[in-house]
Amino acid sequence: MKLILYSWNANNEQILSDSLTRLGFEVIRFCKECRHYTRDMELAMELMQQIHAKGAEAVVSFNYFPIISMVCHTCRIPYYAWVYDCPHFTLYAKQLHYGCNHVGVFDRDMVRQLEDYGVTTVSHVPLAADTTYFGSVIDSAPQREREEYRCDISFVGSLYTGEHDYYDMLFPEEAWDCPHRGLIEDTLGRQCFFYREDHIKQALAGGQIDLSVVQEAMERQGLMLGEDYFAKPEDILVAAVLEKKVTVEERRTLLAKMAEYVDGAMDIRENGTKRKHDFRLYTGSDTKDMPVLDRYNCGMVDYHRQMPLVFAGSRINLNITLRSIHSGIPLRVLDIMACGGFVLTNWQPEIAEHFRDGVEIALYSSLEECMDKVSYYLSHEEERRRIAHAGQRKVEETFSYRAGLLKLFG
């Protein structure tokens, strides 16, 4: 089968291409920036020409592009999309109903939500990681470079400051006396570090949050999706605004606690030596207004060359899941394990289903439990290494690209 792989510089596109080739597909790369998800006619015409010129029988991409779906619908060929973002608002595009679509979504709860809308073109396809690729990156790095990334605790990810903090756009400080803000703040506070119940959706369903007032603010800020999409306003409010705000607070709070912990704790090694812990934050987010974190901010790392060295070199890799991921296993978790790293992550339904706490991964269900486990695993080196090794084996056996693609194309 001849496939066109739509390339938009997503991480792991080369791994995806190589994996498809190993499965027997002939892969043709098509590279062009998508300027509008539903109305980029220039992209549509060029892709259509490529399909006819190359005799392509299907198109595949990371994430879902409605404009590509329109092209495949017109050309009467399948479109396979493997989604690794959540929220991924193009999944609310009306074109998702086209029968040409075969969309794999890694978050099972998102699949259920779309099915409630009557969508029949999505399925649950967990994400994948390539242990061989990451292993080659780590092994080929000079020893000096590998040593540079060795530390006790690290976190790689965004703090969602600045332009991505939609909550503060809707509720600026001068609007603090908004009659509904207090109720919203209370709801978000109860949701922080609480994983087994959805207080936000309960508050919306129970009318504690007045959606009409918030919707007006969202429309003023241009946060509504428009006529090309079928999402309800509350879907956008919850994922883009409220759940992201919970993520912001959880990441800031936990990472600040981590910084305070390493400032005051000594690492007593098994051989009796002592030294201070080493904590590193790898983010492109601005931390100047958070002095406790700013001195630990090492900036962003390149996904393909530097990130594997961070994951392999950190004794504890933290995962603090974006709250709009309700059930799924974030790519960060699989990537850490594929690099042979030890993962300490918040409890998440699908993580707990696939990985055993204390065997292949370490899970926490509260801020206090997270801090306790940091202290425990820093002082139990052999156990930590055993868990990291078991996690790497599990990813290699269960979360390979081959397994994911067979499910997507099945």
Side-chain angles (χ1 to χ4, degrees), residues 184-193 246:
I184 296 173
E185 294 282 337
D186 179 64
T187 300
L188 301 185
R190 285 185 289 117
Q191 192 68 71
C192 278
F193 298 105
V246 173

Side-chain angles (χ1 to χ4, degrees), residues 104-123:
V105 178
F106 78 100
D107 187 86
R108 187 174 55 214
D109 278 13
M110 185 64 186
V111 174
R112 291 170 178 165
Q113 183 188 30
L114 291 168
E115 288 174 346
D116 288 342
Y117 274 110
V119 175
T120 60
T121 57
V122 296
S123 61

Side-chain angles (χ1 to χ4, degrees), residues 284-297:
S285 300
D286 187 358
T287 54
K288 289 185 176 60
D289 66 337
M290 296 173 280
V292 69
L293 292 181
D294 197 49
R295 66 180 179 275
Y296 292 105
N297 189 349

Side-chain angles (χ1 to χ4, degrees), residues 3-4 6 47 51 57-61 68 72 77-81:
L3 288 175
I4 285 182
Y6 174 57
L47 177 57
I51 289 171
E57 300 166 81
V59 177
V60 63
S61 71
I68 294 178
C72 292
I77 61 173
Y79 174 34
Y80 297 93

Side-chain angles (χ1 to χ4, degrees), residues 23-282:
L23 285 172
F25 295 102
E26 182 181 342
V27 180
I28 304 159
R29 300 285 281 267
F30 173 74
C31 307
K32 187 174 179 64
E33 180 186 359
C34 181
R35 299 183 182 276
H36 195 288
Y37 287 123
T38 60
R39 302 184 184 188
D40 189 340
M41 290 301 110
E42 184 178 329
L43 183 149
M45 293 303 297
E46 288 191 26
L47 177 57
M48 199 173 296
Q49 290 169 3
Q50 283 289 305
I51 289 171
H52 292 308
K54 303 292 186 181
E57 300 166 81
V59 177
V60 63
S61 71
F62 273 133
N63 283 349
Y64 174 72
F65 292 81
I67 191 69
I68 294 178
S69 180
M70 293 169 65
V71 171
C72 292
H73 177 70
T74 301
C75 294
R76 299 189 178 185
I77 61 173
Y79 174 34
Y80 297 93
W82 198 353
V83 175
Y84 65 61
D85 280 337
C86 190
H88 186 53
F89 292 120
T90 59
L91 288 174
Y92 293 115
K94 294 175 181 178
Q95 290 82 2
L96 189 65
H97 290 278
Y98 288 163
C100 64
N101 295 316
H102 303 269
V103 182
V105 178
F106 78 100
D107 187 86
R108 187 174 55 214
D109 278 13
M110 185 64 186
V111 174
R112 291 170 178 165
Q113 183 188 30
L114 291 168
E115 288 174 346
D116 288 342
Y117 274 110
V119 175
T120 60
T121 57
V122 296
S123 61
H124 179 226
V125 180
L127 297 174
D130 191 325
T131 57
T132 301
Y133 170 79
F134 283 130
S136 67
V137 172
I138 295 164
D139 292 342
S140 63
Q143 184 64 29
R144 174 188 52 77
E145 189 175 2
R146 278 185 274 175
E147 289 296 330
E148 288 177 5
Y149 290 100
R150 292 198 187 280
C151 70
D152 294 312
I153 309 160
S154 72
F155 175 74
V156 178
S158 176
L159 302 185
Y160 298 108
T161 52
E163 62 182 20
H164 300 296
D165 192 350
Y166 300 124
Y167 182 85
D168 287 345
M169 289 170 56
L170 293 179
F171 303 103
E173 287 298 323
E174 57 268 24
W176 181 258
D177 60 349
C178 167
H180 304 288
R181 180 161 181 166
L183 292 171
I184 296 173
E185 294 282 337
D186 179 64
T187 300
L188 301 185
R190 285 185 289 117
Q191 192 68 71
C192 278
F193 298 105
F194 195 84
Y195 305 100
R196 299 172 192 265
E197 196 170 347
D198 196 329
H199 293 298
I200 295 174
K201 289 192 175 179
Q202 289 175 6
L204 281 168
Q208 289 95 340
I209 297 177
D210 188 335
L211 185 61
S212 63
V213 173
V214 180
Q215 186 175 343
E216 290 177 9
M218 291 171 67
E219 289 172 348
R220 286 196 300 271
Q221 295 290 347
L223 293 179
M224 303 304 289
L225 290 178
E227 62 183 9
D228 293 341
Y229 298 83
F230 58 77
K232 298 174 184 176
E234 54 262 40
D235 294 328
I236 312 305
L237 168 65
V238 169
V241 181
L242 302 182
E243 289 175 335
K244 181 166 282 187
K245 181 62 173 178
V246 173
T247 306
V248 168
E249 294 305 314
E250 286 181 339
R251 291 189 178 183
R252 288 187 175 195
T253 301
L254 193 153
L255 295 173
K257 282 281 188 185
M258 211 60 62
E260 292 167 2
Y261 172 80
V262 299
D263 282 344
M266 295 295 292
D267 181 12
I268 304 176
R269 295 301 184 93
E270 292 173 354
N271 63 5
T273 61
K274 297 180 180 180
R275 69 173 179 83
K276 292 203 73 169
H277 292 304
D278 183 9
F279 167 58
R280 299 185 192 178
L281 170 61
Y282 294 97

Side-chain angles (χ1 to χ4, degrees), residues 302-354:
D302 175 75
Y303 180 89
H304 293 284
R305 188 177 64 84
Q306 298 169 312
M307 185 195 74
L309 303 183
V310 173
F311 291 160
S314 302
R315 295 171 69 200
I316 294 179
N317 292 280
L318 297 172
N319 174 63
I320 311 166
T321 302
L322 183 62
R323 277 310 195 106
S324 50
I325 304 173
H326 291 168
S327 68
I329 305 171
L331 184 59
R332 182 191 293 106
V333 169
L334 299 178
D335 282 347
I336 293 170
M337 289 182 167
C339 295
F342 174 89
V343 182
L344 175 58
T345 177
N346 59 279
W347 183 90
Q348 190 89 342
E350 293 182 54
I351 296 178
E353 288 172 20
H354 289 278

